[in-house]
Amino acid sequence: MTGLGALGFASPALLWGLLALPILWVLLRAVPPAPIRRLFPGVALLLGLADETQQADRTPWWLLLLRMAALAAAIIGFAGPVLNPEVKTRGAGPLLIVADASWASARDWPRRAERIGAALAEAALAGRPVALLSLTDPPPARLVFQPAAALAEALPGLQPQPWEPAAADWPALLPEGQFDTLWLSDGLARESRGDLLAALQARGTLHVAEPEGLVLALRPATYADGALRITALRSGPADAAEVVAIGLDPNGVERDLARVTAAFGTDSAAEAVFDLPPELRNRVTRFEIAGSRSAGAVALTDDAVKRRKVALIAPGAAREGLELLAPTHYLIRALEPSADLIEATLEDALLTSPDVIILADVAEIAAPDRLAEWIEEGGLLVRFAGPRLAAADSAGDPLLPVRLRAGGRSVGGTMSWGTPRALAPFPEAGPFAGLPIPPDVTVRAQVLAEPGPDLPARTIAALADGTPLVTRAAFGQGAVVLFHVTANAEWSSLPLSGLFVQMLDRLAVSARRAAPERGDLAGATWVAERVLDGFGDLADAGSVAGVPGDRLAAATPGPDLPPGLYAAGERRVALNVLTPDRVLARAIWPAGVTVEGANAPRETPLKGAILTLALAALLADILATLAVSGRLRGVRAGAMVLVLALTFAPQTRAEMAEDRAILAAGNVVLAHVITGDAEVDRIAAAGLAGLSGVLTLRTTVEPAPPMALDLEADDLALFTLLYWPVTETQPAPSPTAYARLNRYLRGGGMILFDTRDADIAGFGTATGTGRRLQALAAPLDIPPLEPLPPDHVLTRTFYLLQDFPGRHTGRGLWVEAAPPDAERAEGMPFRNLNDGVTPVVIGGNDWAGAWATDARGLPMFPVGRGLSGERQRELAYRFGVNLVMHVLTGNYKSDQVHVPALLERLGQ
């Protein structure tokens, strides 16, 4: 493409036609020739007569200029003018293609791969050798140039990685000699690229391709002030980012648990606060930025934000003034900042389903069978010794990891020394490996374990003389841990030290600190359970090797340490892409570096506009020619001007609204309310299109294409069903629109409100979209509502249904409450509800997401897993069919005449 400054031409050779314009000017001036003037006396007889046909002796100069301009515009238009054409790298020497290929490149990776492919194709045509360098996957040795065709075959293997560009000696890895460089940047500023940038500029011309738009990312989540807090970052202008908390529901199905909008304002960082109940908070496995597909837009959670529910059981309450001697005093001080504590009886504590139960010197267990069942199902029981346990007979207590020795050298089965004993180094294979032992931690007394063949294997901490201090044994899917000392400072100084908190942390009794230190992770090999790819998708770790704790504590993801969830025993640590202090900034390139993309004006084709201008000039020439010849007069002139005006006049808003009204009035049309969120509106339109297709295939209803409904302008009475997806930020309609909505509801219309939050709080009251629904629906004349009863007509208008899933499962559907006199006739399973149609249906299962199909008719979003997911999508379609049939036929299927057929179908 040849360019003239900011203007380029696809076919510049056509511009030579402009040189013919002066010749055309001369020809138009010479033809027709000027008339010769002759004196003829008889002409006097013609004076006063009107000549309806006139012809100028010469074409006026302004008309010639108009024709010349029209022809010039046509020539320029066919030459393919482009404003701000993209500059493509051309040359004859070697070409090096550098790709950041980081997590920030994943959001538009197909375009980057297409750009690399185009550069390889151009190099192949020019015969240029090419080398490809991925900064997130450094080569082991110096690069060498290859034929472009060879690299094109390996291009599909190039993928973005979930970490930053690696640190390497880049000048030593670059090919030898001079070459040009095409650098595909991810758009983020990094101090580490300075050496590479200088080396590339010294080798030849550098051209940078940078993406459009901004980069969004998440820092690791933290827990503070009773809520989960996560910080969203941006690299460019953005008003807000929607952060989604994702976790497992009670059925083990992953779903969106909560959504919070983080508003940036003038800052580059914004905090999203998730105030969730403990049961829901502990289910969160990761946070994501909605609509952003990259590993940086995902923040995994671990033990730092999963506050465990710990039940503390003690034999009796401490007397006033003696709190320091209470068995649970130091436990409360150690666990209160990082766990939810429950102080109750053992029977009451088991009803709350705690994660950990701690028995402080409890010898007799009130409900041993129930406690044993709880442990076998995965619970952790931690017991502390004391005078009561020492005096009890351990032979009859099955909930101990080892048998305790009866008697001994002291009363109650304890052993005392003249000199307190220190702790021995923790075993390398135990949970306390690597923890430093303070020299002032000593033990004065303890209960002794009965020697046995399994005692060494169950000892996870011991004294300097080898006496077991902490023992552990597996019990079903859970475990029982015994501290052979008291939980207070009566027998040892362990509860007074920071080591006590660290030991509880290692046993997964409490949540660890948000930023683990090297000592917290040292001494253990951490094995990856699931890892992130560059696009932010979680996958099984596969053959990823285990890493030592000090390497994991560095929190720097790389090829040898991919981001993901790492485990060591009962502990889980999330390694995220971004560190807690990471900031995002747009890359700034030095002067002299050509940048295409975000820092360059967008390429704009001008061919259509200039050809339209040429056509307009030719039409104006026609009018001007008729005017000069005297043929443009009166009504004919007005008609001609009107025809030309209608030719170029765009369709008015009123005409468009009239066309929509005619289409809606003559067909069944499903409409969705415009929310202002482009993505939600797109999904709603695709969902109604998918449902319309199912209706056409399965029923006699053949809906027209769905419409986006403007509550302020469109006539609501023309639409069969309104689908209203609720977002947290959508504005409320005007009072006039509410008045029209109320008339629509009173006239028999139906609105399906969808909060898309799975109704996790029941009627959506605790979610952002649920609260927004309450605000939006408050001015509407909605009758009393009730959960959908089993015999409601919606369960049988077309299909027999009892569940109404969308992308989420659940039967939480609310409809108009049945009248008080709607009684079931004797012998009939259904009530007679033959008066009216429920004006509103409220739920949160995201039906549009389950119905949505793309242009090829394929589902746009996954639903569930495998065959069960397809069954769930089928039920979602059936619910949509029932809903539309209910609107169209009313409560027809509640007539008792249908009961025999329904009973036969139900097998009753």
Side-chain angles (χ1 to χ4, degrees):
M1 180 178 290
T2 302
L4 299 174
L7 188 64
F9 295 91
S11 302
L14 293 178
L15 297 178
W16 289 102
L18 296 176
L19 298 178
L21 293 180
I23 301 175
L24 180 62
W25 175 277
V26 174
L27 291 176
L28 290 177
R29 295 292 293 176
V31 178
I36 300 175
R37 294 182 178 274
R38 301 292 186 184
L39 295 177
F40 180 63
V43 174
L45 299 175
L46 303 178
L47 295 177
L49 296 178
D51 187 3
E52 295 184 358
T53 59
Q54 299 179 8
Q55 184 174 0
D57 58 348
R58 286 184 178 275
T59 304
W61 67 268
W62 53 269
L63 186 55
L64 289 176
L65 186 61
L66 179 62
R67 292 174 179 175
M68 299 280 286
L71 184 57
I75 293 173
I76 295 174
F78 285 114
V82 177
L83 184 63
N84 302 314
E86 293 184 1
V87 179
K88 297 183 179 180
T89 305
R90 295 184 183 275
L95 174 65
L96 173 65
I97 300 177
V98 178
D100 281 346
S102 69
W103 59 267
S105 304
R107 68 189 195 279
D108 58 349
W109 185 253
R111 292 188 58 189
R112 295 171 187 269
E114 182 181 354
R115 182 68 179 88
I116 297 176
L120 291 175
E122 291 181 5
L125 291 176
R128 306 178 67 183
V130 185
L132 180 60
L133 173 62
S134 173
L135 300 186
T136 53
D137 188 14
R142 185 183 295 275
L143 287 172
V144 294
F145 290 106
Q146 306 177 43
L151 286 180
E153 294 179 357
L155 183 59
L158 179 64
Q159 295 292 328
Q161 301 297 332
W163 51 76
E164 304 278 352
D169 186 9
W170 296 116
L173 298 177
L174 294 179
E176 296 180 347
Q178 294 292 312
F179 51 81
D180 296 332
T181 303
L182 172 63
W183 190 338
L184 281 85
S185 167
D186 60 11
L188 295 182
R190 295 186 183 88
E191 296 180 358
S192 59
R193 66 163 48 114
D195 294 341
L196 177 59
L197 179 62
L200 293 177
Q201 287 183 296
R203 299 294 185 93
T205 303
L206 173 61
H207 184 86
V208 175
E210 199 167 78
E212 298 181 356
L214 75 163
V215 179
L216 295 174
L218 292 175
R219 291 175 180 167
T222 58
Y223 178 86
D225 300 328
L228 292 176
R229 301 174 182 272
I230 189 164
T231 301
L233 304 176
R234 64 174 181 177
S235 65
D239 296 331
E242 186 180 27
V243 184
V244 185
I246 300 175
L248 301 178
D249 65 6
N251 296 324
V253 179
E254 191 174 75
R255 63 173 67 231
D256 295 353
L257 301 180
R259 290 174 177 259
V260 173
T261 300
F264 288 104
T266 58
D267 300 327
S268 61
E271 186 177 61
V273 180
F274 289 82
D275 189 5
L276 304 174
E279 292 80 4
L280 199 60
R281 181 182 64 232
N282 288 340
R283 292 184 180 275
V284 177
T285 57
R286 70 181 186 274
F287 294 92
E288 291 183 358
I289 296 180
S292 184
R293 190 166 182 254
S294 74
V298 177
L300 302 176
T301 63
D302 53 15
D303 295 340
V305 297
K306 291 178 171 58
R307 287 171 59 91
R308 291 180 173 263
K309 192 188 304 181
V310 180
L312 300 179
I313 312 297
R319 291 178 295 173
E320 184 177 357
L322 300 178
E323 288 82 1
L324 292 177
L325 300 180
T328 59
H329 173 76
Y330 293 100
L331 288 171
I332 294 174
R333 295 291 299 273
L335 299 176
E336 193 172 33
S338 58
D340 297 325
L341 302 182
I342 302 171
E343 295 185 73
T345 63
L346 180 59
E347 294 86 345
D348 294 339
L350 287 172
L351 295 176
T352 64
S353 300
D355 300 298
V356 182
I357 294 179
I358 299 179
L359 302 181
D361 193 19
V362 176
E364 296 184 2
I365 299 176
D369 295 337
R370 292 178 56 193
L371 181 59
E373 182 181 356
W374 173 81
I375 300 173
E376 289 179 348
E377 293 177 352
L380 174 63
L381 175 64
V382 180
R383 303 186 67 172
F384 284 85
R388 293 178 178 82
L389 187 61
D393 183 8
S394 65
D397 190 347
L399 300 180
L400 285 172
V402 294
R403 290 187 59 186
L404 301 181
R405 180 181 299 180
R409 290 183 291 174
S410 62
V411 177
T414 61
M415 183 182 69
S416 301
W417 307 273
T419 303
R421 296 292 189 265
L423 273 65
F426 296 117
E428 294 183 358
F432 308 135
L435 289 180
I437 300 175
D440 56 345
V441 175
T442 57
V443 176
R444 298 182 298 276
Q446 69 168 156
V447 294
L448 292 175
E450 190 72 36
D454 56 352
L455 181 59
R458 296 187 177 186
T459 301
I460 57 177
L463 299 180
D465 60 359
T467 306
L469 176 65
V470 184
T471 54
R472 181 178 65 178
F475 200 101
Q477 297 182 9
V480 178
V481 178
L482 172 64
F483 282 76
H484 291 241
V485 294
T486 58
N488 56 19
E490 185 177 354
W491 286 8
S492 72
S493 60
L494 178 62
L496 303 177
S497 67
L499 178 62
F500 187 60
V501 179
Q502 293 177 315
M503 294 176 72
L504 293 176
D505 177 20
R506 289 292 182 93
L507 291 173
V509 175
S510 62
R512 64 169 178 83
R513 291 184 294 273
E517 298 178 356
R518 188 179 301 271
D520 298 333
L521 305 179
T525 298
W526 294 82
V527 180
E529 291 184 335
R530 304 192 74 188
V531 294
L532 284 171
D533 63 12
F535 299 101
D537 297 327
L538 273 173
D540 292 335
S543 59
V544 176
V547 296
D550 54 354
R551 174 69 179 94
L552 185 62
T556 306
D560 61 333
L561 187 65
L565 193 64
Y566 290 78
E570 298 296 329
R571 293 182 294 164
R572 299 292 183 273
V573 172
L575 178 63
N576 287 296
V577 176
L578 270 66
T579 57
D581 56 350
R582 182 72 158 93
V583 294
L584 301 183
R586 173 65 68 177
I588 300 177
W589 300 93
V593 176
T594 303
V595 180
E596 68 174 73
N599 295 339
R602 180 183 290 272
E603 181 179 273
T604 305
L606 301 178
K607 180 177 181 179
I610 294 180
L611 289 179
T612 301
L613 180 62
L615 179 60
L618 291 176
L619 292 176
D621 175 73
I622 295 174
L623 290 177
T625 302
L626 293 176
V628 170
S629 64
R631 296 188 179 94
L632 191 62
R633 295 181 182 178
V635 177
R636 288 182 297 175
M640 184 67 69
V641 173
L642 180 60
V643 169
L644 293 177
L646 292 178
T647 302
F648 291 95
Q651 190 177 20
T652 64
R653 182 183 180 90
E655 291 172 334
M656 295 174 64
E658 183 179 356
D659 292 343
R660 284 165 50 88
I662 293 174
L663 178 62
N667 299 274
V668 174
V669 178
L670 309 181
H672 66 92
V673 176
I674 298 175
T675 65
D677 188 317
E679 180 64 14
V680 173
D681 293 339
R682 182 181 71 88
I683 295 174
L688 294 183
L691 178 59
S692 298
V694 171
L695 286 165
T696 302
L697 292 175
R698 303 185 184 183
T699 71
T700 58
V701 180
E702 298 182 1
M707 295 184 181
L709 185 65
D710 185 355
L711 296 177
E712 308 294 337
D714 290 323
D715 187 357
L716 307 184
L718 301 175
F719 297 94
T720 305
L721 173 69
L722 304 186
Y723 176 73
W724 193 329
V726 181
T727 64
E728 296 184 31
T729 58
Q730 63 180 276
S734 66
T736 302
Y738 271 120
R740 301 171 64 198
L741 282 168
N742 286 326
R743 287 196 300 270
Y744 172 74
L745 295 176
R746 289 192 295 268
M750 177 187 287
I751 302 177
L752 173 60
F753 289 99
D754 190 355
T755 57
R756 302 171 299 107
D757 57 2
D759 199 20
I760 55 178
F763 208 3
T765 53
T767 64
T769 53
R771 290 188 291 268
R772 189 57 186 160
L773 170 61
Q774 292 180 340
L776 291 173
L780 295 176
D781 296 336
I782 297 178
L785 303 177
E786 67 175 356
L788 186 77
D791 64 339
H792 195 276
V793 184
L794 263 178
T795 63
R796 58 184 187 276
T797 51
F798 196 85
Y799 290 104
L800 294 176
L801 296 177
Q802 290 300 323
D803 295 310
F804 314 98
R807 291 195 72 195
H808 309 304
T809 57
R811 200 175 180 276
L813 208 64
W814 291 75
V815 296
E816 181 182 4
D821 57 351
E823 298 181 356
R824 182 177 301 167
E826 184 177 355
M828 298 297 181
F830 307 119
R831 291 174 295 174
N832 189 348
L833 303 173
N834 209 30
D835 289 327
V837 175
T838 175
V840 296
V841 177
I842 301 177
N845 288 344
D846 189 11
W847 289 287
W851 299 334
T853 56
D854 57 18
R856 298 173 296 172
L858 300 178
M860 293 177 56
F861 303 102
V863 174
R865 297 179 179 177
L867 294 178
S868 62
E870 293 306 314
R871 175 63 179 171
Q872 180 177 330
R873 190 190 304 277
E874 172 62 21
L875 291 179
Y877 279 132
R878 293 186 178 188
F879 166 69
V881 172
N882 274 19
L883 192 68
V884 174
M885 299 302 287
H886 181 47
V887 176
L888 296 177
T889 64
N891 286 340
Y892 168 66
K893 279 295 181 72
S894 70
D895 290 341
Q896 299 302 306
V897 70
H898 298 285
V899 171
L902 291 170
L903 291 178
E904 182 181 356
R905 290 291 305 277
L906 292 172
Q908 299 180 5

